[in-house]
Amino acid sequence: MADLGLKAGDKVLLVWTQPSSPTALKEFAESVGAVVGSQSLVSLENLERLQLSSHAGSSYDWVLSGLLPDSAPIHSSETLAEIARVMKPGGKLVLEEPVTGSEENGIRTAGKLGSALKLAGFMSVTEVKSEALSPEALSALGQLSGFQGNSLSRVRMSASKPNFEVGSSSQLKLSFAKKAPQTDKPALDPSAAKMWTLSAIDMNDDDIDLLDSDELLDAEDLKKPDPASLRASSCGESGTKKKKACKNCTCGLAEELEQESKAVQKVSQPKSACGSCYLGDAFRCASCPYLGMPAFKPGEKVVLANTQVADT
């Protein structure tokens, strides 16, 4: 029992099944009781009646199932779930079960057994050892499941229950309140603050050298920059295409192009001497360039459609 990790004071449940002999079962229970310190800490239960028992939940530190060499128990999913129920959080499980290389006749593989333990809620599932079945166990398994073959082996698996109960909950400490802005200013070094402080008395102190801001500028800094030098190198340059200002232009090209457009539009329009040409022929003189054209708005360019032009 020393290799299992039992210690004094642990409460142990021994799960057995047919055809375990009463003598072997008694000796096994006495050896476990000697390790934990008292026979009253050891309970026995038949595997087929485990789900019908009245064991309290979370009451055992250890559950040892099918460890007698002359037995070959098959642990169903319901049995594993019941074992997890009666174990304390953090409790240990050690079981032995016959496995085969390929699942058949209800006999699982070692991998399938490990998966069943995990689905029952166990963690840290480990295969401890694997050995051949005894003749008594092989005969009992053949009578129970009808399995025939020599591919069986006996595997020991260990697992543990998590340190919490199934369905347990815990309150999370979350704070959604807005944090107040930190108003405390960092402490200033007195010597640094004094270095950057200038008073009226210091202005009259001959020992303090003050720089004239105009002395920091040379002749080149005082020259007015050429507007062309402020323009980006690629601004408005598009090869043979028409110059176009950039979006959100700040170099003045947009205003320049707008003025050029207005100037071209103004030159293309005929000049009016009286200023009343846009009112219509009734207000136009004999030499008016708009004579015969419809009235239009001031500054608007008049364009006649081809359908309105007739041969004379």
Side-chain angles (χ1 to χ4, degrees):
M1 297 297 103
D3 59 331
L4 296 179
L6 297 173
K7 61 181 183 297
D10 287 343
K11 194 172 182 181
V12 183
L13 174 64
L14 301 181
V15 182
W16 62 278
T17 185
Q18 297 293 345
S20 299
S21 64
T23 303
L25 181 60
K26 180 180 179 181
E27 293 177 354
F28 184 67
E30 289 177 350
S31 63
V32 173
V35 174
V36 298
S38 175
Q39 200 65 34
S40 61
L41 297 175
V42 181
S43 302
L44 283 81
E45 187 60 65
N46 185 273
L47 181 67
E48 286 75 14
R49 298 191 58 82
L50 179 61
Q51 300 180 57
L52 303 177
S53 63
S54 58
H55 296 287
S58 304
S59 55
Y60 293 100
D61 299 292
W62 285 85
V63 174
L64 308 178
S65 179
L67 299 190
L68 295 177
D70 57 352
S71 63
I74 302 298
H75 300 82
S76 64
S77 300
E78 293 78 9
T79 301
L80 294 177
E82 180 64 17
I83 292 176
R85 185 189 69 83
V86 301
M87 289 175 60
K88 294 180 180 180
K92 306 294 183 180
L93 166 66
V94 178
L95 61 82
E96 291 187 1
E97 182 174 319
V99 296
T100 182
S102 58
E103 188 172 3
E104 52 182 319
N105 292 339
I107 309 300
R108 292 176 289 206
T109 62
K112 291 286 186 179
L113 177 58
S115 299
L117 288 168
K118 294 177 182 178
L119 290 175
F122 292 98
M123 56 183 293
S124 302
V125 178
T126 307
E127 182 178 342
V128 179
K129 67 177 182 177
S130 178
E131 59 186 9
L133 279 174
S134 65
E136 297 82 0
L138 185 60
S139 175
L141 183 62
Q143 296 177 3
L144 179 63
S145 63
F147 182 85
Q148 299 294 331
N150 298 323
S151 61
L152 289 174
S153 61
R154 185 186 187 92
V155 65
R156 174 177 289 188
M157 307 286 287
S158 66
S160 61
K161 184 177 179 179
N163 293 323
F164 54 85
E165 290 291 353
V166 176
S168 60
S169 60
S170 177
Q171 185 178 3
L172 299 178
K173 297 181 179 181
L174 300 177
S175 177
F176 297 97
K178 293 183 178 179
K179 295 183 178 180
Q182 186 176 0
T183 56
D184 298 337
K185 295 182 179 180
L188 295 178
D189 186 3
S191 59
K194 184 178 180 181
M195 182 182 300
W196 292 99
T197 302
L198 190 64
S199 64
I201 300 176
D202 296 330
M203 297 293 293
N204 298 325
D205 193 348
D206 296 335
D207 295 335
I208 297 180
D209 296 331
L210 300 178
L211 295 177
D212 187 0
S213 59
D214 294 336
E215 295 180 358
L216 301 176
L217 301 177
D218 54 16
E220 293 295 331
D221 296 330
L222 298 177
K223 289 182 180 180
K224 184 177 181 181
D226 185 10
S229 63
L230 301 177
R231 186 174 301 173
S233 59
S234 60
C235 183
E237 295 180 2
S238 56
T240 58
K241 297 181 180 179
K242 184 179 179 181
K243 289 198 302 182
K244 184 178 180 181
C246 303
K247 187 178 181 181
N248 301 326
C249 177
T250 58
C251 68
L253 181 60
E255 291 80 358
E256 180 181 343
L257 294 178
E258 183 179 0
Q259 293 179 0
E260 291 179 0
S261 176
K262 290 181 179 179
V264 171
Q265 183 179 4
K266 185 176 181 181
V267 171
S268 62
Q269 293 180 353
K271 295 184 179 180
S272 174
C274 62
S276 303
C277 302
Y278 68 93
L279 298 176
D281 286 348
F283 300 89
R284 295 168 182 163
C285 56
S287 60
C288 182
Y290 296 101
L291 191 64
M293 295 183 181
F296 56 89
K297 295 180 179 179
E300 182 182 12
K301 186 176 181 180
V302 180
V303 179
L304 298 179
N306 294 334
T307 55
Q308 297 179 348
V309 179
D311 295 337
T312 55

